[in-house]
Amino acid sequence: MKMKKYIVKYALGLLIGFGTLVSSCDLNVDPRQSIDASQALDTPDGVEAAVNSVYARLRQTTNYGRNLLALSDALADVGRTTSNSGRLIQENNNQPNAHFNSIPGSGLSFWQNSYFAINEANLILDAISTGVTGASAAQLARWEGELKFLRALYYFDLVKVYAYIPTAIYQPGVVDEGGVPMPLEGSITSDIAFTRNSPRSTIQQNYTQIVADLNDAIRLLGTSSRAGVQFASVGAAQGLLARVYLYMGQWQNAVTASTAALASNAGTVLSGQAYIDGWRASIHPESMFEVRFQIAGESIGVNESLQSSYTVLLNLSNKNAQGGWGDFVPNQTVLNFFGLAPRQIGEPATNNNNWDVTRNSDVRAHLYTTGSTVRGARNIECIKFISKAGFAYGDNVPVIRKSEMRLIRAEANYQLGNTGDALTELNAFKGLRGLPAVTLTGEAILEEILLERFKEFAFEGHRFFDLKRYGRSIDKRYLAGGSIINFDDFRILPPLPQREVDGNVNLNQNRGY
Amino acid sequence: MRKVLLLGLAFLFAAASAFAQGRVVTGKVTSGEDGLPIPGASVIVKGTTIGTATDLDGNFSLNVPQDNNVLVISFVGSVTQEVNVGNRSQINVVLQPDTRSLEEVIVTGYGTQPKREVTGAVSSVKGEAIKNLPMQSFDRALQGRAAGVQVRSANGLPGGAVNIRIRGVGSVTAGNEPLFIVDGVQLNNQGNASFTQANPLAFLNPNDIESMEILKDAASAAIYGSQAANGVVIITTKKGKQGKARFEFNAFGGETQPMKFLDVLNGPEWYAMRRDGLRNTGNTAPEANALLAMGRRPDNFATLSAAELDAIGLGLPSYDWQREVMGRGRLQNYELNVSGGDDKTTFFVSGSYDYQESSFRPVDFERGTFRTNLSHKANDRLTLETSLNLATVTQNTPFSIDGSFLGNPAFSASTVLPHNAIRNEDGSFNTAIAGVLNQNIALVNEFNSGRTTTNSIVGNTSATYKILDNLVYRGLVGVDYRLIIENRYRDPRTPDGAGVRGRATAANDWRTRFITTHTVNWNKSFNNVHNLTALAGFEFVSETREGLNAEAIGFPTFQFRYIDSGATPEFVGGFWTGYRRQGAFVNANYNYKEKYLFTATARYDGSSRFGANTQYGIFPSVRAGWNIAMEDFLKDSETVTDLKLRASWGRAGNDQIGNFAARGLYGAPTAGNYAGNAGIRPTSLANLNLGWETNETINIGLDYGFFGNRVSGSVDLFDQRTKDLLLDQPILWTNGFSSISNNVGELMNKGIEVEINTINIDRGGFQWRTAFNFTYIRNEIVRLYDGLEFLPANPGIAVGQPVGNPAFPGQNAPGSWFVAEYAGVNPATGRPMWYDINRNLTYLPIAADRVYFGSNLAPYYGGFNNTFSYKGFELTAFFTYEYGAIVSDGQYNFLRESGTRLALNGLRDVVDRQWTNPGDMTDIPRNVGNFNGGNELRSQGRNFGSAALLKADFIRLAQVQLGYTFNPATLRSLGLTRARVYAQGVNLWTYSDYPGYDPEFVGAGTGQVPIVKSYQIGVQLGF
């Protein structure tokens, strides 16, 4: 009996002991690939890494990875689609809803990625405003400067896409629904995340904030900035400011800012063969700011990269190698700009290396050549983005090229009535591109400047917004079944993401959606 | 199993012999089931306490007093027999198995129960029922076997993922996977689908399974607390039986074949279709442009007449790509097991080899397993047991599991333009493939390679200690360890590898799951009428997963295929994740004369996955049963053999969310790196109050048996409510996040389950038995949050509508189809039309016109089995069926476009149906070639809205088997105790009007390997 008692005691002791052991086990498991948000921005290294992520979001397909260039130009009158992969057809046809918005299942949308980036920037700005232990004054200034440049760039891209541009607002306050929501405070708690229903700011408020951020950036980056055009710099901020003033119609400010930008050490304006070579270099020498694709692992890939969107070629050394899709190619207007036509340069004709194009004296004609028959018919394609960094589908993307400053200054001077300065600047620019000077007066000067912008920035995403800021229609009659999309058409603006409108009582959808 | 228990009796009688005078009677007791000797059967002289037990060979020797002439021979699970000795001194007795089903013992949570005492909704599937099916994991074999259990193969990959849902889809965002327990070890059943599908349950040779119990209602499962909301599947493997070593050899071989080839257009037909489509849109050179789309426009086309171009197009050759890349696959399986033991130790040891090729070579599955189950009685209080399963599985991987990749043979075989030759005249691969699918998939398939190997150890060791005769402690320590290693190579001779000169990817994934369970069991009977049992326990589970992966490009030649040979590393990656769970639980059973049954359980469970404020939850349940058949008024009924009414209520939890879903975190994804510098960004928002999703179920059931159980079965009605749904509540993107996990909303699964087993004919050695089951479940969202009628970011998740079935663990349940209703084509013009919100016809439906069309979750399903036996012959025909699922099949959708958007092939049936002349009444619009992306101007695409939704109803002959068992008597001379041969076919026939490959798939359906049919012959030998 005694034995039994011992056994019971022993067993129960064991059990209770084990039970206690188990229940006293710490249930908490900490992740090893992440850290708590509350500690993330406590150190200088943490802040630096967080700033990098804001840059990195520019790389997304939804932003400079593709859409701000290829999708913009597909909406405009720059090219036609080849149907090779079926991409960009709807956008090129200006089908309702085929615009800067997310197609369900396609991942991040332009709106989402941009606001995520802005929130990250706001969180860091909030953190550094209360000080970061161990950070120098120069670091604090540089971070703030870079973040304000980035926030300005993201907001500028958002407002130019989702709202009318100050120089051409269609029926202000009637059809126009204003600018974009503009939160300036970071959201990291469920309180803000659940309750902040930001309304659309006015277009004016958006632009005022963008200008303020850029002026801050110019001031702060003047004290400290990182080397390299992949980072924000004084010159980059001045360049962006010039473009913003151009969109605002503040012509004098545009002249001032573009002049300052041209005087900065960011980028070089190139001419002749150097210009052609510039497009073959990994880092474009003209870039005042460009989005960096550092390694092959960061490439956008064969489906949606700029290279793949524009050309079927893998590289220029062998045109028979299968590359991307070549979904979007120049239309006849662009071909005519540069005198482009297919030209057989060797035998046999079946070898794609035996084909090139005819060109006129415009050096930019060298940015086009024939593709291959790997994906179907051999088209003339734009080769501005073609494995320049040494790997496929990951070309660095120039956001602001210094050449643009000259065209901005010419246009702003024209608008200020300084037609002489405008024409001089225009002709000097034409000279850089191998074109003869022109003698023009009045509105013809503006038209010639806009035409030069068209040629210079074809396949770089400017054309749609150049038409939009002058309230001009988009002539798509060159497409089968195409028509003219007038400025009063609702398709000039994209729909705001429906989920945002559904979830935010203060957010008004654009007309027609 | 039943033979294991009777050791006690042997001891009891051992001392009792040898008193009285009499004669010695010897004999042998064998089983009528398999002819094998029964050790431990009791042999008693009737009316006395004189008796003995049979030895390991089933032999007995007993002194029978002169005036007693009747022996009573009994054994658990067998019908007791009385034998008149007469003058004989040698008696051989054959005990027949007791088939009264309610005597069965059912494995329940942390114990077993006689079936007649079970008060919850529990289905049991015997290992015998799924034996020798050419299926790599037991979950696949469960299809149609039990009411309330819905099983769909994700695709036809051997050893691929299986989608199993017990009583519907109970969660939108959190997992819907049941808890699988093998011999007390709770498994990690997360797949890793990076290269191929390595079904985590494929580690177990299904033939090693003794039985599977499925706990369906929350009350039965509640003792498993936080993981039990989706039901629990308890697998018990075969154990050793006392007696001399018995060997069993089992082998089968056969082949798999595609169930269906799609009837696609040939070369000239495709040409004519495109030409006519272009003609419809007023194209001025339809012949030349059609040839251009096919890459066959001659350079001098401008000089050729339309008729001459037509002659080229209509003279194009045709090649059958489907039959080139889809073919027969071999399958084979060999296994040997040996079991036996003495009165202290029993063992079961088995080894197996299984190989199966898919219809898409070189995808295959190869597995070796080794299993040991040991039990040792150290003394009369302490029993030690261990079971260990080692398995290695190697799969040659497909190009991709699914998706519209150009190199994916499962996608391209039916969609590549048919005039493309597969090989050149010299036998080499044709690499000039015209059309959007410009890769020769036969070449891609031949040159690429990839392998996934999964090594696993699943095992446990346990000690059972009898503290008192009615108080038993049991402690178990178990481990589930997996290592998955993957290597893949994109050959530089294929288009995907050409640009980068070859790409090798390597990845591994280690998973370790540790579990320890400690229980104390107590039972007592008062006055033989009040029977009480109780159980208390603790459990702790810890799981970690980590992995590394890397990719390199730039290989010297295609012969170098391992990752280290690549010149440029593209990336390195890795991950670590883990969680812990612990709980305490109690269970009490009371019954009065086994007539009135009551059970109550409760579990207190904590999980590291939840918010700091809500880590613990409590999960109670109550059950009651009434054995009506045992009441006096039915006790002697000839008609009613068994009748039991049961009712239960319980609450179980679901913690199948991300391990760190409640935390507010910053991560360092590679997408955040910039210009060679590391980046960090917020990845999730904190929710300190994130807590359990609970499943509350009311279940009312009836178990019945009539006419001596010739008709038996059960009926269950249930109403299951998932409350505090773990829902990803959308957050405005302008606030920097997409969603946050939150406990909001309610989901209902209400239904009926019916199981009927009958013996239709049992006469003259001929027997016909059927087993039928049927399930109907109404799935519906009851409530969302803030009074919302639908989720803003996903309007398919709507109050009053069913949710869909998520394809793989970790995916959210899709919503109902919420799309504009298709109205067919305008007979005058051939343009597709839809209904707007006012039921008017429109070419351009908008968001407001959408209506609900049900979901891809079938509300009706079940199985129907027929067994005919005569002498040694046995014929089995097993059917499964599903009804009511609405699916979108990506592969069919591409084909339904008939090459209008992209230059892909189409289905002959669709093209024959398309609108051609005014007045045609049809559902397929006018073909417009590739004009405007294949769509009419200012019109939605032809697959828009409900146009391409399909009904996925089917009845399938899932298994048909004809077997012959040789007479044991004739085998004895060969040294065999048992021999059986059989021929079997799986998925031989499907009744369905489905236009795609097969209605059974999960997910998008694009480029998935379809399920196959198979034929096999096999042999089973015992010696």
Side-chain angles (χ1 to χ4, degrees):
Chain A
M1 215 46 213
K2 211 167 183 184
M3 183 68 189
K4 202 168 172 183
K5 254 185 187 167
Y6 277 124
I7 293 167
V8 173
K9 267 188 187 164
Y10 176 71
L12 282 180
L14 195 79
L15 187 68
I16 291 164
F18 209 93
T20 324
L21 186 78
V22 166
S23 46
S24 65
C25 273
D26 186 3
L27 255 195
N28 287 323
V29 179
D30 283 318
R32 297 186 188 173
Q33 289 164 262
S34 312
I35 56 172
D36 264 321
S38 56
Q39 301 157 13
L41 304 176
D42 282 355
T43 61
D45 286 348
V47 173
E48 180 94 4
V51 172
N52 288 333
S53 168
V54 185
Y55 280 103
R57 283 197 183 272
L58 292 171
R59 219 166 47 215
Q60 290 271 353
T61 309
T62 55
N63 291 53
Y64 287 93
R66 184 190 73 168
N67 287 3
L68 281 166
L69 286 81
L71 192 147
S72 295
D73 273 2
L75 292 169
D77 52 1
V78 178
R80 61 179 179 86
T81 50
T82 59
S83 229
N84 281 350
S85 84
R87 289 184 178 82
L88 296 174
I89 294 175
Q90 309 284 327
E91 288 84 356
N92 195 220
N93 286 340
N94 301 89
Q95 294 272 81
N97 285 309
H99 209 301
F100 272 93
N101 55 326
S102 72
I103 294 144
S106 70
L108 287 173
S109 80
F110 171 62
W111 173 284
Q112 179 185 13
N113 186 50
S114 301
Y115 276 107
F116 280 19
I118 288 165
N119 189 50
E120 288 179 30
N122 286 338
L123 287 170
I124 310 166
L125 286 168
D126 293 346
I128 59 182
S129 70
T130 57
V132 178
T133 315
S136 67
Q139 275 179 315
L140 290 169
R142 173 164 68 76
W143 292 330
E144 190 181 343
E146 290 189 20
L147 289 166
K148 289 203 160 161
F149 169 81
L150 288 166
R151 187 166 73 179
L153 179 59
Y154 280 110
Y155 270 130
F156 176 63
D157 286 338
L158 279 169
V159 73
K160 80 181 184 191
V161 164
Y162 287 101
Y164 288 107
I165 294 171
T167 50
I169 299 175
Y170 182 70
Q171 297 187 357
V174 182
V175 166
D176 146 55
E177 291 282 357
V180 293
M182 194 166 59
L184 298 172
E185 184 195 350
S187 145
I188 193 68
T189 63
S190 44
D191 298 354
I192 296 183
F194 275 133
T195 57
R196 189 172 69 189
N197 289 317
S198 310
R200 295 176 72 152
S201 300
T202 64
I203 293 172
Q204 189 57 45
Q205 284 166 340
N206 286 147
Y207 277 87
T208 305
Q209 181 65 41
I210 291 163
V211 169
D213 274 350
L214 286 174
N215 281 322
D216 283 350
I218 292 166
R219 175 174 54 80
L220 292 159
L221 292 170
T223 61
S224 172
S225 66
R226 286 195 263 187
V229 292
Q230 71 272 34
F231 297 115
S233 63
V234 173
Q238 284 165 333
L240 182 57
L241 187 60
R243 194 194 289 175
V244 171
Y245 280 136
L246 185 77
Y247 277 49
M248 293 172 81
Q250 295 197 10
W251 312 114
Q252 186 55 55
N253 284 333
V255 170
T256 312
S258 55
T259 304
L262 282 165
S264 78
N265 58 8
T268 324
V269 180
L270 299 174
S271 67
Q273 185 62 38
Y275 177 79
I276 300 167
D277 294 344
W279 278 107
R280 302 278 75 83
S282 167
I283 297 167
H284 199 300
E286 284 210 336
S287 284
M288 305 183 79
F289 178 67
E290 69 177 27
V291 176
R292 174 63 54 86
F293 288 76
Q294 183 81 10
I295 54 170
E298 289 173 359
S299 87
I300 299 287
V302 68
N303 285 330
E304 294 189 321
S305 62
L306 284 172
Q307 176 180 346
S308 181
S309 298
Y310 293 157
T311 174
V312 297
L313 300 178
L314 185 65
N315 52 51
L316 292 174
S317 55
N318 177 10
K319 286 185 170 182
N320 291 320
Q322 179 176 323
W325 287 108
D327 281 317
F328 185 64
V329 299
N331 62 10
Q332 198 56 48
T333 310
V334 174
L335 298 182
N336 292 343
F337 284 158
F338 308 116
L340 304 171
R343 186 166 72 94
Q344 191 174 344
I345 55 175
E347 290 293 344
T350 50
N351 184 340
N352 293 302
N353 288 314
N354 291 331
W355 287 86
D356 194 8
V357 290
T358 57
R359 298 184 175 91
N360 64 19
S361 64
D362 194 323
V363 295
R364 291 170 297 205
H366 288 274
L367 303 176
Y368 301 84
T369 189
T370 46
S372 78
T373 47
V374 173
R375 302 280 191 193
R378 188 188 295 112
N379 292 305
I380 296 172
E381 301 172 330
C382 171
I383 49 170
K384 284 184 174 180
F385 301 93
I386 184 159
S387 305
K388 289 184 292 186
F391 52 87
Y393 316 127
D395 295 289
N396 298 325
V397 180
V399 175
I400 309 163
R401 284 198 289 118
K402 211 161 191 173
S403 294
E404 187 190 350
M405 296 303 119
R406 303 206 64 163
L407 290 168
I408 287 174
R409 194 162 63 185
E411 185 179 339
N413 267 323
Y414 168 81
Q415 295 288 1
L416 287 167
N418 307 327
T419 48
D421 290 350
L423 192 59
T424 309
E425 184 103 50
L426 173 65
N427 278 331
F429 183 79
K430 278 177 169 282
L432 297 176
R433 298 293 174 257
L435 295 176
V438 290
T439 329
L440 297 167
T441 55
E443 205 150 308
I445 299 173
L446 176 64
E447 292 310 315
E448 193 63 22
I449 293 170
L450 292 178
L451 193 64
E452 213 51 54
R453 285 183 67 94
F454 190 172
K455 294 181 195 170
E456 178 69 20
F457 298 116
F459 295 90
E460 292 181 68
H462 284 244
R463 178 67 178 165
F464 179 75
F465 300 103
D466 283 348
L467 293 172
K468 189 176 171 184
R469 67 192 170 87
Y470 277 100
R472 296 186 180 194
S473 50
I474 307 167
D475 189 348
K476 281 293 182 65
R477 284 174 301 180
Y478 66 88
L479 295 177
S483 58
I484 295 180
I485 293 108
N486 288 316
F487 187 62
D488 62 2
D489 196 299
F490 74 101
R491 289 173 290 171
I492 296 296
L493 298 183
L496 272 51
Q498 192 60 36
R499 79 187 287 283
E500 298 285 283
V501 179
D502 287 346
N504 182 349
V505 289
N506 299 327
L507 192 66
N508 293 337
Q509 181 59 282
N510 280 329
R511 173 185 58 137
Y513 295 104
Chain B
M1 184 75 194
R2 61 197 159 88
K3 294 167 189 172
V4 180
L5 308 170
L6 266 250
L7 266 311
L9 278 175
F11 295 119
L12 198 66
F13 294 119
S17 52
F19 291 125
Q21 291 285 324
R23 55 199 161 127
V24 174
V25 175
T26 59
K28 185 168 189 146
V29 180
T30 52
S31 161
E33 196 178 13
D34 52 11
L36 297 172
I38 300 179
S42 98
V43 184
I44 301 176
V45 180
K46 192 175 181 181
T48 71
T49 55
I50 302 167
T52 186
T54 55
D55 67 11
L56 296 182
D57 292 324
N59 295 320
F60 68 92
S61 171
L62 185 64
N63 232 325
V64 181
Q66 287 301 348
D67 49 343
N68 294 76
N69 226 358
V70 178
L71 294 183
V72 180
I73 296 100
S74 63
F75 188 73
V76 169
S78 300
V79 180
T80 301
Q81 264 197 45
E82 293 187 8
V83 182
N84 204 321
V85 181
N87 293 325
R88 290 178 291 174
S89 61
Q90 170 74 29
I91 291 175
N92 290 333
V93 181
V94 178
L95 286 184
Q96 295 303 331
D98 185 352
T99 48
R100 289 191 11 153
S101 68
L102 295 198
E103 290 301 320
E104 265 178 61
V105 171
I106 297 291
V107 181
T108 57
Y110 302 103
T112 57
Q113 252 185 328
K115 190 171 179 187
R116 77 189 120 81
E117 289 180 22
V118 169
T119 47
V122 180
S123 284
S124 181
V125 178
K126 296 298 169 206
E128 198 61 35
I130 60 157
K131 198 167 184 176
N132 291 325
L133 286 170
M135 296 174 181
Q136 287 67 35
S137 57
F138 59 84
D139 48 355
R140 202 162 190 159
L142 277 174
Q143 187 177 37
R145 304 284 174 181
V149 182
Q150 185 175 22
V151 178
R152 277 194 157 213
S153 299
N155 50 48
L157 291 172
V162 171
N163 186 288
I164 177 163
R165 300 283 172 254
I166 296 176
R167 290 190 166 175
V169 169
S171 184
V172 177
T173 307
N176 282 287
E177 315 310 315
L179 171 65
F180 289 95
I181 303 173
V182 173
D183 293 334
V185 180
Q186 299 173 7
L187 298 180
N188 174 339
N189 61 329
Q190 283 260 304
N192 180 330
S194 59
F195 291 171
T196 186
Q197 289 177 327
N199 186 325
L201 301 178
F203 78 93
L204 186 63
N205 176 6
N207 284 1
D208 282 343
I209 293 174
E210 178 76 31
S211 73
M212 291 180 277
E213 264 80 21
I214 301 141
L215 313 185
K216 298 185 288 190
D217 60 331
S220 301
I223 194 136
Y224 292 103
S226 64
Q227 328 146 67
N230 302 317
V232 181
V233 181
I234 301 175
I235 292 105
T236 309
T237 59
K238 288 175 180 163
K239 302 290 190 297
K241 298 169 187 180
Q242 200 184 354
K244 67 175 187 183
R246 291 188 222 183
F247 293 84
E248 197 178 301
F249 175 74
N250 192 0
F252 63 77
E255 71 172 25
T256 63
Q257 291 175 8
M259 280 203 287
K260 185 176 180 181
F261 294 100
L262 296 176
D263 188 13
V264 293
L265 300 182
N266 65 29
E269 285 170 332
W270 201 93
Y271 164 78
M273 175 187 74
R274 172 56 66 89
R275 178 200 60 197
D276 296 347
L278 290 170
R279 204 172 270 160
N280 281 338
T281 60
N283 191 297
T284 50
E287 295 84 6
N289 282 316
L291 286 173
L292 176 67
M294 302 176 86
R296 294 291 183 272
R297 188 179 71 178
D299 289 337
N300 62 341
F301 72 95
T303 64
L304 298 175
S305 70
E308 284 167 321
L309 291 166
D310 244 3
I312 297 172
L314 297 174
L316 286 170
S318 302
Y319 298 90
D320 194 335
W321 284 84
Q322 287 184 89
R323 282 174 177 81
E324 172 70 21
V325 297
M326 294 167 69
R328 293 151 187 255
R330 288 169 298 148
L331 66 88
Q332 49 190 308
N333 184 74
Y334 308 97
E335 60 185 78
L336 181 68
N337 70 58
V338 52
S339 65
D342 58 19
D343 53 358
K344 284 204 180 301
T345 307
T346 60
F347 65 91
F348 173 89
V349 179
S350 79
S352 75
Y353 172 82
D354 185 86
Y355 182 76
Q356 183 166 332
E357 280 175 332
S358 100
S359 50
F360 285 82
R361 237 168 261 169
V363 181
D364 67 356
F365 176 94
E366 185 172 29
R367 174 182 63 201
T369 69
F370 174 73
R371 162 167 281 275
T372 308
N373 284 348
L374 278 179
S375 172
H376 177 70
K377 221 172 149 77
N379 56 47
D380 53 359
R381 293 202 176 275
L382 181 65
T383 305
L384 300 170
E385 285 170 285
T386 185
S387 94
L388 194 64
N389 193 102
L390 305 181
T392 178
V393 172
T394 298
Q395 293 162 283
N396 277 310
T397 64
F399 181 93
S400 66
I401 297 159
D402 52 28
S404 55
F405 301 103
L406 307 193
N408 178 3
F411 173 68
S412 297
S414 56
T415 49
V416 65
L417 292 188
H419 67 287
N420 287 301
I422 297 158
R423 287 174 185 274
N424 298 319
E425 277 172 12
D426 61 3
S428 61
F429 285 112
N430 171 24
T431 53
I433 306 285
V436 65
L437 300 177
N438 58 2
Q439 301 196 2
N440 186 330
I441 44 172
L443 172 151
V444 167
N445 228 12
E446 176 99 6
F447 290 165
N448 282 332
S449 61
R451 263 168 173 272
T452 298
T453 297
T454 308
N455 292 333
S456 70
I457 300 173
V458 178
N460 71 69
T461 179
S462 71
T464 308
Y465 189 82
K466 245 189 215 175
I467 302 165
L468 299 170
D469 283 343
N470 64 346
L471 184 68
V472 178
Y473 159 81
R474 181 175 154 88
L476 175 142
V477 178
V479 66
D480 172 3
Y481 175 81
R482 318 282 176 112
L483 172 57
I484 304 170
I485 304 168
E486 307 183 299
N487 277 292
R488 182 168 59 176
Y489 188 64
R490 292 280 191 245
D491 195 293
R493 294 169 294 174
T494 69
D496 285 283
V500 292
R501 297 201 54 79
R503 169 180 277 128
T505 317
N508 55 45
D509 180 347
W510 292 280
R511 304 156 181 210
T512 312
R513 179 181 261 242
F514 168 78
I515 180 172
T516 182
T517 310
H518 299 265
T519 56
V520 182
N521 249 307
W522 175 83
N523 65 73
K524 196 161 174 75
S525 212
F526 299 94
N527 304 331
N528 279 328
V529 292
H530 304 282
N531 303 310
L532 199 55
T533 66
L535 173 142
F538 294 104
E539 189 164 82
F540 175 78
V541 175
S542 149
E543 178 182 308
T544 56
R545 269 186 70 182
E546 59 185 311
L548 292 171
N549 53 71
E551 195 164 291
I553 55 175
F555 285 75
T557 73
F558 71 86
Q559 291 115 316
F560 292 87
R561 306 175 83 84
Y562 207 69
I563 188 163
D564 67 313
S565 308
T568 313
E570 265 208 318
F571 71 81
V572 289
F575 68 91
W576 186 96
T577 186
Y579 80 104
R580 288 178 189 161
R581 194 169 51 216
Q582 63 183 358
F585 48 91
V586 290
N587 175 354
N589 292 311
Y590 165 78
N591 71 61
Y592 177 75
K593 287 185 171 172
E594 298 182 344
K595 254 194 264 181
Y596 310 105
L597 314 155
F598 302 94
T599 302
T601 72
R603 179 160 179 143
Y604 184 65
D605 233 355
S607 166
S608 65
R609 285 171 171 166
F610 292 113
N613 305 340
T614 45
Q615 270 187 338
Y616 284 85
I618 189 152
F619 305 98
S621 80
V622 287
R623 309 196 287 263
W626 177 25
N627 261 324
I628 309 170
M630 295 179 81
E631 293 290 352
D632 293 341
F633 58 90
L634 280 179
K635 217 169 189 172
D636 302 318
S637 166
E638 297 267 306
T639 318
V640 180
T641 323
D642 289 313
L643 195 62
K644 182 176 67 186
L645 189 62
R646 40 191 173 75
S648 77
W649 171 90
R651 180 195 290 158
N654 187 347
D655 73 346
Q656 290 178 27
I657 55 172
N659 286 342
F660 307 112
R663 306 276 292 262
L665 299 170
Y666 262 67
T670 50
N673 299 344
Y674 184 70
N677 304 305
I680 62 170
R681 57 174 61 160
T683 50
S684 60
L685 267 176
N687 184 352
L688 298 180
N689 296 319
L690 187 67
W692 306 89
E693 174 175 291
T694 57
N695 159 357
E696 285 183 24
T697 306
I698 296 171
N699 192 90
I700 295 172
L702 183 74
D703 296 335
Y704 59 87
F706 303 117
F707 316 111
N709 280 337
R710 277 189 72 152
V711 177
S712 67
S714 61
V715 179
D716 277 275
L717 295 166
F718 59 90
D719 184 348
Q720 172 186 314
R721 303 293 176 115
T722 313
K723 296 181 175 170
D724 300 325
L725 281 174
L726 284 165
L727 211 58
D728 279 345
Q729 193 172 338
I731 284 178
L732 292 176
W733 284 334
T734 48
N735 291 336
F737 294 88
S738 294
S739 64
I740 184 171
S741 296
N742 212 355
N743 294 101
V744 286
E746 181 176 334
L747 180 61
M748 176 185 82
N749 283 286
K750 199 185 228 173
I752 181 167
E753 294 164 1
V754 179
E755 290 187 5
I756 306 170
N757 303 304
T758 57
I759 302 172
N760 304 319
I761 298 174
D762 189 359
R763 185 175 301 151
F766 178 76
Q767 197 181 52
W768 172 28
R769 282 178 295 165
T770 60
F772 173 78
N773 71 71
F774 164 83
T775 306
Y776 165 68
I777 297 179
R778 197 171 118 213
N779 178 289
E780 191 179 301
I781 299 251
V782 180
R783 220 158 24 78
L784 291 167
Y785 59 95
D786 293 349
L788 283 177
E789 284 297 306
F790 59 83
L791 272 194
N794 183 0
I797 302 285
V799 172
Q801 300 298 330
V803 299
N805 187 5
F808 301 112
Q811 287 184 350
N812 288 3
S816 290
W817 300 109
F818 184 50
V819 291
E821 185 179 351
Y822 187 52
V825 307
N826 185 335
T829 61
R831 293 185 64 176
M833 305 181 293
W834 290 265
Y835 291 110
D836 72 8
I837 195 164
N838 300 315
R839 299 294 293 172
N840 295 322
L841 294 169
T842 174
Y843 295 127
L844 270 176
I846 58 171
D849 300 330
R850 293 174 294 180
V851 288
Y852 289 97
F853 281 93
S855 81
N856 67 355
L857 182 67
Y860 302 90
Y861 59 87
F864 181 44
N865 194 21
N866 283 283
T867 311
F868 306 89
S869 52
Y870 181 69
K871 305 245 162 121
F873 289 97
E874 191 173 70
L875 175 68
T876 303
F878 175 60
F879 297 84
T880 61
Y881 61 92
E882 274 195 25
Y883 178 79
I886 305 291
V887 301
S888 166
D889 181 335
Q891 189 74 20
Y892 172 71
N893 293 349
F894 272 103
L895 291 164
R896 191 181 181 275
E897 289 176 350
S898 305
T900 53
R901 184 167 62 96
L902 301 164
L904 300 179
N905 207 347
L907 294 169
R908 183 171 285 127
D909 173 57
V910 169
V911 174
D912 286 350
R913 243 175 31 232
Q914 76 192 7
W915 185 96
T916 42
N917 296 304
D920 285 358
M921 302 288 282
T922 178
D923 63 323
I924 303 293
R926 181 174 83 132
N927 193 308
V928 293
N930 58 342
F931 169 79
N932 188 35
N935 301 324
E936 298 278 356
L937 282 175
R938 289 174 302 284
S939 174
Q940 289 291 1
R942 58 159 61 189
N943 285 347
F944 186 82
S946 68
L949 292 181
L950 298 171
K951 289 181 174 167
D953 308 333
F954 66 88
I955 299 173
R956 172 169 288 159
L957 179 57
Q959 180 199 9
V960 58
Q961 189 192 75
L962 178 64
Y964 177 73
T965 306
F966 292 92
N967 189 335
T970 59
L971 292 171
R972 205 152 294 154
S973 57
L974 297 168
L976 297 174
T977 52
R978 176 178 158 80
R980 182 172 185 270
V981 291
Y982 62 93
Q984 180 167 267
V986 167
N987 296 342
L988 291 192
W989 174 81
T990 303
Y991 172 77
S992 178
D993 57 358
Y994 194 76
Y997 276 116
D998 192 65
E1000 185 183 339
F1001 67 94
V1002 297
T1006 311
Q1008 291 176 204
V1009 174
I1011 295 171
V1012 294
K1013 62 180 172 186
S1014 63
Y1015 302 90
Q1016 67 188 90
I1017 51 169
V1019 58
Q1020 291 166 263
L1021 300 174
F1023 47 91

